[in-house]
Structure formats: C-alpha cells, structure tokens
C-alpha cells in the first residue's frame, strides 16, 4: 500500500508543469554552464592577464552591488517587502557626496581646521566624512520613507506595499531631476582624492603619470582597494551586529515571529525602522563608491544597479546576508566577463537571464531556506 502511494505521488509530481519546467531549466543551465566554461577557459589560456583584468573589474562591481543587495535582503528578511526604492536611495547617496565635495569642499575640512595635519591623513579623514554624511542622509531618508509610505500598509496585502515601493522609486527619480533639487542632466563627479593606478609585473608598482603600464601586466587602482575594503568591513560589521548584539537578536526574532516578539518586549516598529536605516546607509555608501569609480551621476543612475543588486540578493537567497554578498560577487563577475568576451549591451541581458534561471532551478537561491509564511 505504501509503495503504491509513493508511486502515485511520484507520477503526480512528474505531471506537474512546474516540475517539468524545473527540469528544462536545469538542463538549459547545464548546457549554458558548459558553454560559458568553455569560453572562459579558452580565453584564460589565450590571454591570462586580460582575463584577470576582467575578474578584477567584476570584483569591483560585485563589491558595490553587495552593499546595495544587503539592504534588499535585510528589509525582505524583516517585513517581506521588496523595496524597489532602494536603488534610488543609492542615487541620493551619490548626489549628497557630490554636493559635499564639489559645492562645500567638505573633504578638505581637516586641512582647514588642522593646517599641520599630513596631507594623506587629511584626505582620508575628509573622504570618510563625506561617506558618513551620505550614509546618515540616506538612513534618515529611508526612515522617512518607511514611516510615511510603508508603515501604514504594514497589514495590507503585499501587492499594495510593492506598488507603493515602485511609486516611491519614481518619485525619488523624477523629483530629484528637478533643477532646484539635483539635476536633470548627467553630472561629472568630482572625486575627493586623486586616483593612483598600480600594475602587477614582477611586483606591484605605481603607474607613473604620462606612462603606460608594461604590456602583459595587470592594473588596479586605489579605488578598487577602497571599494573592496569598505564592502568587506561592512559585511563583517553587519554579521557581528546581527549575531552578537541585542539589536541583532531583536532583528532575528522580528523576522521569525512579530507578534511573539512584541509579547517579549521587542519594539518591532523600531526594529523595522532601524533595518531600513541600516540598509539605506549601506546603499548610500555604495552610491559614493560607485560614483568615485564611475564618475558620472544622474537621477536615473540607481535603476540598473538597484535591479542587479536585487537579482544578486535573489541569486544568493533573499533574506540571507552571506547569500546577498556571494550573489553580488557572482553578478559582478557575470557582468564584467560578458562585457569583455561578448558585448557591453549584453551585460544587462545576462543579469536578468540569471534571475530567470534562478527562479526556474532554485527559487530560494544559493543560501536561501524554503519559504515559509511568517507573521
């Protein structure tokens, strides 16, 4: 009898359209993985320095996407909301840093206040100040958005909050495009420090002004180092906050069961606002670093990075902090290698193809757990 039931269940599962689609997706993914592996291995042996150069470019992109994806995954883990305005908070962070540097020269305040301070130390302190200002402004903006737009819909159907998030996104983009707010045009970004490029060839050496690095060398800049260090430090700090602090325990409890958390004395509304603020602060830092690396900003600059960071969060397992980080690094590599070996316009198509494949093959992502309804 049990054997007959098992056979019946297997036959029903085999007839499900979803199961068939999953197998088709897995088969397509295997073929695609084989083709991509062949292309990458062939190009690696053809020109190893060029391949490594593309990998470094992908890491730079991936570390920036990680800062945005962490915000997506934290907010989703607490309130089950895909905050599509998150990419535009990223844009606001870039513009805040632009005005702080270009209009108010905030990055130079240490030299003005302490004239005897070493120039390098003054630039470091000034640049960190600009980044912190952008993070604080984005955090305040996120708290305002959460209290005004999302909190009244806390008990509404999820589709209402999702539509509201899209509306907030459009509002930030086109309100920011007004001439008395930010600008409707692309603006060249003024970096708060000089870019120094290094090449790896029989050691690590700085590229001298007016000279090209030797043929066959791999180059990287101080911007890459800053982005990598900042992203890794933020990831480590977030893991410590979530695992070792009282607020982190409150965040984890609220994500599991909000009514019980309230009965235990946890201020769930405060936890949600803190989560929005923390995710927005990461996005603001990502906006500053992205603008420093690719120095041209506009009010629509957050759309594609925001969507790609969302894909990264889904790929890694939305709701999983390590998953968002790993998914972002994968997305950065996919984009950089696509630009290098296929074509630049294809990079966006590849990003969203990854999303489709993940939803077909493993909807919960690499590190994600099976979805459960939570209060």
């Amino acid at each position: 009898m049990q054997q007959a039931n098992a056979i019946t269940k297997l036959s029903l599962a085999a007839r499900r359209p979803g199961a068939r689609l999953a197998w088709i997706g897995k088969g397509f993914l295997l073929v695609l993985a084989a083709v991509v592996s062949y292309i990458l291995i062939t190009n690696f042996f053809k020109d190893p320095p060029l391949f490594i150069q593309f990998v470094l470019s992908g890491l730079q992109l991936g570390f920036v996407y990680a800062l945005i994806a962490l915000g997506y995954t934290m907010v989703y883990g607490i309130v089950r909301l895909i905050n599509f305005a998150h990419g535009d908070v990223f844009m606001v962070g870039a513009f805040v840093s632009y005005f702080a540097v270009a209009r108010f020269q905030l990055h130079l305040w240490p030299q003005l206040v302490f004239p005897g301070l070493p120039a390098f130390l003054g630039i470091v302190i000034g640049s960190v100040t600009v980044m912190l200002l952008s993070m604080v402004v984005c955090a305040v903006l996120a708290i305002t958005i959460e209290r005004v737009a999302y909190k009244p819909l806390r008990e509404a159907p999820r589709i209402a909050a999702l539509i509201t998030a899209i509306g907030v996104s459009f509002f930030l983009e086109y309100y920011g495009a007004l001439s008395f707010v930010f600008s409707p045009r692309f603006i060249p970004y003024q970096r708060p420090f000089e870019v120094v490029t290094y090449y790896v060839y029989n050691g690590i050496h700085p590229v001298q002004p007016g000279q090209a690095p030797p043929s066959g060398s791999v180059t990287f800049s101080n911007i890459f180092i800053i982005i990598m260090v900042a992203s890794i430090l933020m990831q480590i700090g977030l893991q410590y906050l979530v695992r070792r602090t009282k607020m982190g325990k409150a965040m984890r409890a609220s994500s599991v069961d909000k009514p019980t958390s309230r009965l235990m004395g946890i201020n769930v509304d405060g936890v949600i606002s803190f989560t929005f603020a923390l995710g927005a602060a990461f996005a603001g830092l990502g906006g500053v670093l992205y603008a420093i690396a690719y120095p041209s900003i506009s009010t629509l600059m957050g759309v594609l990075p925001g969507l790609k960071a969302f894909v990264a969060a889904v790929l890694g397992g939305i709701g999983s902090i390590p998953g968002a980080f790993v998914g972002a690094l994968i997305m950065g590599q996919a984009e950089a290698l696509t630009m290098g070996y296929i074509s630049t316009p294809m990079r966006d198509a590849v990003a969203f193809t990854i999303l489709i494949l993940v939803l077909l093959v493993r909807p919960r992502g690499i590190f994600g757990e099976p979805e459960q309804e939570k209060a």
Side-chain angles (χ1 to χ4, degrees):
M1 187 66 179
Q2 291 179 349
Q3 186 176 4
N5 289 336
I7 293 172
T8 304
K9 288 179 181 178
L10 287 173
S11 62
L12 287 173
R15 286 200 295 267
R16 284 179 193 156
R20 193 176 302 117
L21 285 174
W23 280 109
I24 293 172
K26 288 178 181 178
F28 179 72
L29 183 61
L30 288 173
V31 173
L32 183 63
V35 172
V36 170
S37 300
Y38 173 77
I39 294 173
L40 294 181
I41 292 171
T42 302
N43 284 283
F44 173 76
F45 285 107
K46 186 183 297 183
D47 193 344
L50 182 62
F51 182 87
I52 295 172
Q53 193 71 63
F54 289 142
V55 169
L56 291 179
S57 299
L59 283 175
Q60 181 169 288
L61 267 176
F63 282 123
V64 174
Y65 290 160
L67 291 170
I68 314 173
L70 289 173
Y72 274 114
T73 204
M74 282 192 296
V75 168
Y76 182 83
I78 300 291
V79 294
R80 295 297 182 268
L81 168 68
I82 303 299
N83 181 19
F84 280 116
H86 195 60
D88 300 294
V89 174
F90 163 89
M91 173 270 295
V92 171
F95 269 96
V96 169
S97 68
Y98 165 76
F99 286 110
V101 172
R103 300 286 178 87
F104 301 103
Q105 303 292 302
L106 184 63
H107 63 299
L108 299 178
W109 77 263
Q111 286 95 330
L112 298 176
V113 177
F114 307 103
L117 196 68
F120 174 77
L121 184 59
I123 289 296
V124 169
I125 296 173
S127 300
V128 171
T129 304
V130 171
M131 294 176 189
L132 290 175
L133 175 65
S134 295
M135 294 172 73
V136 169
V137 170
C138 289
V140 173
L141 175 63
I143 292 173
T144 305
I145 291 171
E146 191 272 330
R147 291 298 175 92
V148 173
Y150 299 151
K151 187 177 179 180
L153 300 173
R154 193 78 47 80
E155 305 301 327
R158 291 184 188 177
I159 189 65
L162 182 64
I163 293 170
T164 301
I166 295 172
V168 172
S169 173
F170 283 131
F171 174 80
L172 291 176
E173 290 166 12
Y174 292 103
Y175 180 74
L178 296 174
S179 57
F180 63 86
V181 182
F182 294 147
S183 174
R185 305 183 307 274
F186 281 88
I187 299 176
Y189 185 85
Q190 180 180 332
R191 293 176 170 127
F193 53 82
E194 294 293 329
V195 178
V196 180
T197 303
Y198 302 89
Y199 68 89
V200 181
Y201 192 85
N202 295 327
I204 300 176
H205 312 278
V207 177
Q208 300 300 322
Q211 296 183 1
S215 177
S217 61
V218 175
T219 62
F220 65 93
S221 69
N222 56 344
I223 295 175
F224 170 77
I225 297 172
I226 292 168
I227 290 175
M228 179 180 66
V229 171
S231 184
I232 292 174
L233 287 178
M234 291 299 105
Q235 169 74 11
I236 294 172
L238 180 59
Q239 286 284 15
Y240 178 81
L241 172 72
V242 171
R243 298 294 176 187
R244 301 292 183 183
T245 66
K246 189 174 180 180
M247 177 57 75
K249 292 177 182 177
M251 290 169 65
R252 285 185 282 140
S254 300
S255 71
V256 173
D257 192 332
K258 292 180 183 60
T260 304
S261 298
R262 288 189 176 96
L263 293 175
M264 294 294 104
I266 295 174
N267 182 358
V268 174
D269 290 334
V271 169
I272 292 172
S273 295
F274 177 82
T275 304
F276 270 88
L278 186 61
F282 285 173
L285 176 60
V288 178
L289 297 175
Y290 187 88
I292 290 173
Y294 312 101
S296 178
I297 60 175
S298 75
T299 55
L300 298 179
M301 65 174 286
V303 176
L304 279 177
L307 289 175
K308 289 173 184 176
F310 167 66
V311 174
V314 174
L315 173 61
I318 194 158
S320 167
I321 292 173
F325 193 78
V326 172
L329 295 182
I330 294 173
M331 283 295 300
Q333 292 300 324
E335 186 170 340
L337 293 171
T338 300
M339 286 191 291
Y341 293 121
I342 302 177
S343 70
T344 300
M346 276 296 293
R347 63 180 182 175
D348 300 331
V350 167
F352 298 110
T353 300
I354 290 174
L355 175 62
I356 294 169
L357 290 174
V358 170
L359 293 176
L360 279 174
V361 176
R362 190 180 172 85
R364 61 180 181 268
I366 299 172
F367 293 90
E369 298 295 332
E371 181 68 15
Q372 296 177 351
E373 287 296 324
K374 298 174 185 177

